[in-house]
């Protein structure tokens, strides 16, 4: 009631208002008309001025107004002034004209500078006044596009502001500002774990995917949604209460002087060899000897990545906790906690599915300084805590439902002028049953956004899924490969889209690979080709594949980086069964020895993690995974 009263007062005064996307410190797009819109009194004259350009309009019967400022060259800082005849003028300062990029998708687009910071220690302390960051806050709507974004702000690029911002956006903005010499605006509108259908408008889904549209309609009953969310919250609370009350280790196993001599000794990569899973709590302890030199010093405890959640203690003091599997565990050990001699690290795992484990290939150590590191042992003392039943519910996560994020996080800022869109998503649609629809959903989403932003030629750079999971020596037919192929095909057929290939920048053990600067560099190259220099050469492609002397000969769009043996090729006959094939590259051609009499189709890097894939163009970029019919 108070919110409604406040809103009514605002509406009665009807001051000129702008959407959240328009604020001091922002970047506006150069070289195109600049839409500016907002609210005021019905039938009120509104004047908008920027950089000696001025546009006037009259609000409609609902008080809505919009003007399109003329295209401008890069420059700034300027003042954007919006004035109504009955309202106090709005003056936005420190406004720049340059290039604006919309960074969207799921968690790999969200992966922050903080997450990748160990990979790029020299990137962390710089700032750039001509790069601005705008982080769209999480927001869903099951019924219709939201009137506006949640409160947020444009911020200058510095360590503090970039620390929790998209690392890809951060690296892209810095690179393009350096190369183009104009202001760069990065808009991050992404949400981890979300499927592509959450980012597509409801009317489009209703027309082409009515079942998905009806899925969202299930959640248009507020009472139902609230009841489900409350039930999920109460179920999780009760599960945790029972666990904490019955776990014999709480307040006991963390103590420095607790006697753990009777605990089992296990390797961290094989904690429970006889069990398929462990639901509940599990305790691990490791004794470490601290030298006199290191005693009392602050340190960082690196516990790699753990599955699933953990609470971690040093000498009985909690130093960190993480509620789910993906974030790296980097816990700060305060000054004075470590003592000379025996010290104890204790980890309490809490799992609601699967069984606890340590992720391979991650760092497990105490760090006192850059070159002052004490590795942890792989051996731990283990004691079970309390075994629990499966958690009985998690409520409703509206961000996973169709159209909710288009409504909440895209539509409210359209038609704000942007230079292009970076799209990094697909992991959540890589289930084999869903992957077959990914190409058509991606086309639909791109058409949707172009319509919303009123830019039929709005450029998209699609970031292809990186390699991930255990490598396989044998052919695979997985959803990850199908999504990659959909991304490749859509980018190739769309005149205003390009593909950024990252098949060599993933990690076997981490769905969020850290080399995000490399990804940003490839995105920048793709935009270079789309917007400024169409002769820019990207990843090599197969121009044609023919049969010659029982070999499949692939002709490429550019010479290979180096000649020699090539891996991860497969050939299939009429039965559609793919088998491994030997291949060799020479110049601009690849020669594949066919193990079948009459080859019909070839595949390259068609696996979750084609770790041996080694086809690179002369410019050093990898070839995309692909599937192609021979003689096409």
């Amino acid at each position: 009631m108070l919110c409604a009263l406040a809103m009514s007062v605002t509406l009665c005064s009807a001051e000129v208002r702008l959407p959240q996307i328009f604020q001091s410190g922002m970047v506006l797009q150069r070289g195109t008309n600049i839409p500016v819109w907002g609210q005021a009194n019905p039938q009120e004259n509104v004047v908008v001025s920027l950089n000696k350009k001025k546009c006037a309009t009259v609000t409609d019967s609902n008080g809505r107004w919009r003007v399109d400022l003329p295209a401008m060259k890069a420059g700034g800082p300027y003042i954007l002034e919006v004035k109504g005849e009955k309202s106090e003028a709005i003056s936005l300062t420190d406004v720049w004209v340059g290039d604006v990029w919309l960074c969207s998708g799921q968690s790999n687009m969200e992966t922050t500078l903080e997450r990748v910071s160990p990979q790029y220690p020299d990137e962390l302390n710089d700032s750039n006044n001509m790069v601005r960051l705008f982080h769209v806050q999480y927001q869903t709507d099951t019924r219709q596009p939201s009137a506006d974004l949640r409160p947020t702000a444009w911020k200058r690029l510095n360590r503090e502001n970039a620390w929790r911002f998209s690392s890809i956006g951060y690296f892209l903005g810095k690179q393009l500002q350096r190369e183009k010499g104009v202001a760069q605006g990065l808009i991050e509108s992404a949400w981890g774990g979300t499927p592509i259908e959450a980012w597509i408008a409801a009317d489009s889904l209703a027309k082409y995917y009515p079942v998905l549209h009806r899925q969202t309609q299930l959640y248009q009953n507020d009472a139902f949604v609230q009841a489900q969310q409350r039930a999920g919250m109460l179920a999780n609370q009760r599960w945790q209460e029972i666990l904490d009350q019955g776990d014999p280790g709480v307040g006991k196993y963390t103590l420095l002087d607790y006697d753990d001599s009777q605990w089992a000794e296990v390797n961290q990569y094989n904690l429970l060899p006889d069990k398929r899973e462990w639901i509940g709590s599990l305790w691990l302890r490791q004794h470490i000897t601290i030298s006199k030199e290191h005693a009392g010093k602050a340190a960082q405890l690196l516990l790699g990545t753990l599955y699933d959640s953990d609470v971690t203690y040093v000498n009985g003091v909690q130093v960190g906790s993480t509620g789910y599997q993906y974030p790296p565990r980097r816990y700060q050990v305060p000054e004075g906690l470590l003592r000379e001699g025996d010290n104890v690290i204790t980890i309490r795992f809490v799992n609601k599915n699967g069984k606890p484990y340590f992720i391979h290939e991650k760092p497990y150590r105490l760090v006192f300084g850059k070159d002052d590191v004490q590795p942890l042992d792989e051996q731990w003392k283990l004691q079970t805590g309390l075994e629990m039943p499966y958690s009985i519910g998690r409520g409703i996560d509206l961000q996973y439902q169709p159209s909710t994020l288009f409504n909440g996080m895209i539509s409210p800022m359209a038609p704000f002028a942007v230079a292009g869109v970076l799209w990094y998503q697909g992991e959540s649609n890589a289930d084999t049953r869903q992957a077959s629809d990914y190409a058509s959903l991606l086309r639909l989403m791109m058409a949707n956004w172009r319509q919303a932003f009123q830019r039929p030629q709005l450029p998209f750079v699609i970031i292809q899924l990186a390699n991930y999971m255990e490598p396989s020596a044998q052919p695979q037919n997985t959803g990850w490969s199908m999504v990659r192929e959909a991304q490749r095909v859509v980018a190739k057929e769309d005149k205003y889209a390009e593909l950024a290939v990252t098949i060599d920048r993933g990690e076997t053990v981490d769905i969020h690979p850290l080399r995000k600067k490399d990804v940003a560099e490839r995105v920048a190259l793709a935009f270079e080709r789309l917007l400024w220099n169409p002769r820019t050469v990207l990843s090599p492609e197969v121009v044609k594949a023919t049969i010659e002397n029982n070999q499949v000969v692939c002709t490429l769009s550019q010479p290979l980086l180096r000649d020699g043996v090539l891996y991860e090729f497969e050939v299939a006959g009429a039965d559609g069964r793919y088998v491994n094939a030997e291949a060799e590259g020479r110049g601009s051609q690849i020669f594949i020895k066919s193990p079948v009499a009459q080859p019909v189709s070839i595949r390259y890097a068609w696996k979750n993690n084609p770790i041996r894939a080694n086809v690179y163009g002369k410019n050093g970029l990898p070839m995309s995974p692909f599937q192609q019919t021979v003689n096409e």
Side-chain angles (χ1 to χ4, degrees):
M1 290 177 65
L2 288 172
C3 289
L5 180 60
M7 186 176 293
S8 68
V9 171
T10 302
L11 291 175
C12 288
S13 61
E15 295 288 334
V16 172
R17 297 189 303 282
L18 290 167
Q20 282 289 320
I21 194 72
F22 293 100
Q23 296 190 39
S24 293
M26 67 181 173
V27 180
L28 299 172
Q29 181 58 42
R30 61 171 168 160
T32 186
N33 289 346
I34 303 171
V36 183
W37 68 95
Q39 288 279 135
N41 290 299
Q43 306 302 317
E44 181 175 4
N45 292 314
V46 175
V47 178
V48 180
S49 58
L50 174 72
N51 187 26
K52 301 179 182 178
K53 304 291 192 300
K54 188 176 291 188
C55 289
T57 189
V58 179
T59 63
D60 66 15
S61 59
N62 293 311
R64 294 174 300 205
W65 59 269
R66 171 181 165 174
V67 300
D68 283 8
L69 292 166
M72 302 179 193
K73 294 181 179 180
Y78 301 125
I79 295 174
L80 176 71
E81 186 174 78
V82 182
K83 188 173 184 180
E85 60 183 327
K86 304 173 184 177
S87 310
E88 186 176 343
I90 297 175
S91 291
L92 304 182
T93 60
D94 194 29
V95 174
W96 294 77
V97 177
D99 291 325
V100 183
W101 311 97
L102 174 53
C103 310
S104 191
Q106 57 181 107
S107 54
N108 266 303
M109 183 60 80
E110 274 196 302
T111 300
T112 62
L113 181 63
E114 184 274 334
R115 178 80 70 90
V116 305
S117 58
Q119 192 82 13
Y120 306 104
D122 298 331
E123 295 275 357
L124 306 180
N125 297 315
D126 60 345
S127 60
N128 192 319
N129 184 46
M130 292 183 69
V131 179
R132 303 301 171 91
L133 313 174
F134 186 84
H135 186 266
V136 175
Q137 302 298 313
Y138 291 160
Q139 179 171 246
T140 63
D141 198 314
T142 59
R143 288 186 171 83
Q144 61 191 4
S146 302
D148 201 358
L149 301 173
R150 290 179 58 199
T152 185
W154 285 92
K155 298 180 179 180
R156 299 182 182 189
L157 186 148
N158 55 38
R159 180 188 173 111
E160 180 182 359
N161 294 333
W163 201 234
R164 298 293 179 185
F165 196 79
S166 164
S167 53
I168 293 177
Y170 165 87
F171 289 122
L172 179 70
K174 283 181 56 179
Q175 178 176 339
L176 291 182
Q177 198 285 315
R178 183 174 63 250
E179 291 178 356
K180 305 302 177 185
V182 305
Q184 302 291 316
L186 288 306
I187 301 171
E188 179 192 341
S189 183
W191 196 329
T194 56
I196 191 171
E197 56 266 28
W199 300 94
I200 300 176
D203 56 354
S204 294
L205 289 180
K207 183 176 180 180
Y208 298 103
Y209 287 89
V211 174
L212 286 176
H213 179 58
R214 286 192 284 274
Q215 181 178 326
T216 303
Q217 290 179 310
L218 290 172
Y219 302 103
Q220 290 178 353
N221 182 298
D222 292 341
F224 168 68
V225 170
Q226 291 166 9
Q228 291 292 313
Q229 289 178 333
R230 178 167 173 75
M233 179 189 71
L234 291 174
N236 282 311
Q237 279 183 357
R238 186 59 184 147
W239 191 92
Q240 191 68 44
E241 286 171 1
I242 295 171
L243 175 68
D244 291 343
Q245 290 167 5
D247 188 339
V250 173
K252 182 178 178 183
Y253 294 167
T254 58
L255 299 177
L256 174 61
D257 58 357
Y258 176 78
D259 182 7
D260 56 25
S261 59
Q262 300 305 308
W263 286 22
E265 186 169 308
V266 296
N267 185 279
Q268 66 185 35
Y269 300 120
N270 191 24
L271 294 179
L272 297 167
D274 299 327
K275 290 185 178 291
R276 295 181 61 188
E277 64 180 15
W278 178 266
I279 310 301
S281 60
L282 191 73
W283 294 86
L284 294 173
R285 284 168 60 94
Q286 179 172 147
H287 291 258
I288 56 173
T289 301
I290 297 298
S291 67
K292 181 177 181 180
E293 176 190 0
H294 290 130
K297 287 188 175 181
Q300 186 179 52
L301 174 62
L302 301 184
L303 283 177
T305 308
L306 308 175
Y307 184 89
D308 184 30
S309 65
D310 74 284
V311 184
T312 297
Y313 305 81
V314 172
N315 292 344
V317 176
Q318 181 177 325
V319 295
S321 65
T322 304
Y324 64 109
Q325 70 181 96
Y326 294 120
R329 273 55 168 184
R330 302 176 190 141
Y331 298 147
Q332 303 304 317
V333 180
E335 188 176 345
L337 182 56
L338 294 172
R339 65 182 195 174
E340 183 179 357
D342 186 50
N343 294 258
V344 176
I345 299 170
T346 307
I347 303 173
R348 186 199 191 202
F349 280 96
V350 176
N351 271 40
K352 294 185 177 181
N353 59 74
K355 68 177 181 179
Y357 61 88
F358 289 68
I359 306 295
H360 283 271
E361 302 173 28
K362 297 293 181 180
Y364 298 92
R365 60 182 71 119
L366 269 174
V367 180
F368 294 95
K370 184 177 180 182
D371 299 314
D372 191 0
V373 174
Q374 182 169 340
L376 301 184
D377 200 316
E378 289 186 11
Q379 299 300 113
W380 293 76
K381 296 277 193 173
L382 176 144
Q383 181 65 274
T384 57
L386 187 69
E387 189 170 11
M388 290 286 290
Y390 286 103
S391 178
I392 59 177
R394 51 180 290 178
I396 294 172
D397 295 312
L398 292 179
Q399 71 270 24
Y400 301 142
Q401 305 310 318
S403 305
T404 54
L405 299 184
F406 176 84
N407 288 344
M409 297 175 64
I410 297 299
S411 181
M413 64 174 139
F416 192 78
V418 300
V421 177
L422 299 65
W423 178 250
Y424 197 161
Q425 191 279 336
E427 299 91 340
S428 289
N429 290 88
D431 180 284
T432 306
R433 295 166 299 172
Q434 299 175 341
S436 58
D437 285 328
Y438 194 81
S440 56
L441 288 168
L442 182 55
R443 293 185 192 101
L444 191 59
M445 188 210 77
M446 292 163 66
N448 248 203
W449 289 24
R450 284 167 173 160
Q451 182 179 27
F453 286 89
Q454 300 174 15
R455 292 272 306 283
Q457 301 174 3
L458 179 63
F460 275 80
V461 170
I462 301 163
I463 302 172
Q464 195 179 49
L465 297 187
N467 52 305
Y468 173 55
M469 291 180 273
E470 276 300 313
S472 171
Q474 300 305 314
Q476 294 178 315
N477 191 35
T478 69
W480 278 66
S481 293
M482 294 167 69
V483 168
R484 289 189 192 113
E485 180 70 350
Q487 293 170 324
R488 183 188 73 86
V489 168
V490 171
K492 186 173 180 61
E493 72 187 15
D494 191 311
K495 186 177 180 181
Y496 307 107
E498 291 290 354
L499 185 71
V501 180
T502 65
I503 197 62
D504 61 338
R505 286 298 177 265
E507 297 182 32
T508 299
V509 297
D510 198 339
I511 199 171
H512 304 118
L514 298 181
R515 290 181 284 182
K516 293 295 193 270
K517 186 176 183 181
D518 294 356
V519 177
E521 289 171 350
R522 294 177 186 182
V523 169
L525 267 179
F527 277 125
E528 181 72 25
R529 177 164 168 165
L530 280 169
L531 294 171
W532 297 295
N533 182 6
R535 300 183 68 175
T536 301
V537 179
L538 302 180
S539 290
E541 300 177 43
V542 172
V543 176
K544 63 178 180 178
T546 58
I547 300 175
E548 299 178 16
N549 300 323
N550 202 38
Q551 291 188 115
V552 179
V553 180
C554 298
T555 302
L556 303 182
S557 58
Q558 60 176 287
L560 292 165
L561 181 63
R562 60 180 62 90
D563 294 346
V565 177
L566 302 175
Y567 301 101
E568 304 287 9
F569 281 91
E570 302 166 11
V571 174
D575 61 359
R577 180 175 171 270
Y578 285 88
V579 293
N580 292 330
E582 296 178 3
E584 182 180 357
R586 294 195 296 271
S588 297
Q589 291 185 311
I590 297 173
F591 300 89
I592 306 170
K593 295 181 182 179
S594 178
V596 299
Q598 294 181 313
V600 171
S601 179
I602 57 172
R603 295 196 308 206
Y604 170 69
W606 196 270
K607 297 173 181 175
N608 292 328
N609 187 5
I611 197 72
R612 302 178 75 197
N614 64 335
V615 179
Y616 286 81
K618 191 154 188 173
N619 61 358
L621 294 180
M623 183 165 72
S624 167
F626 71 90
Q627 178 174 285
Q628 182 165 331
T629 302
V630 177
N631 289 327
E632 269 196 352

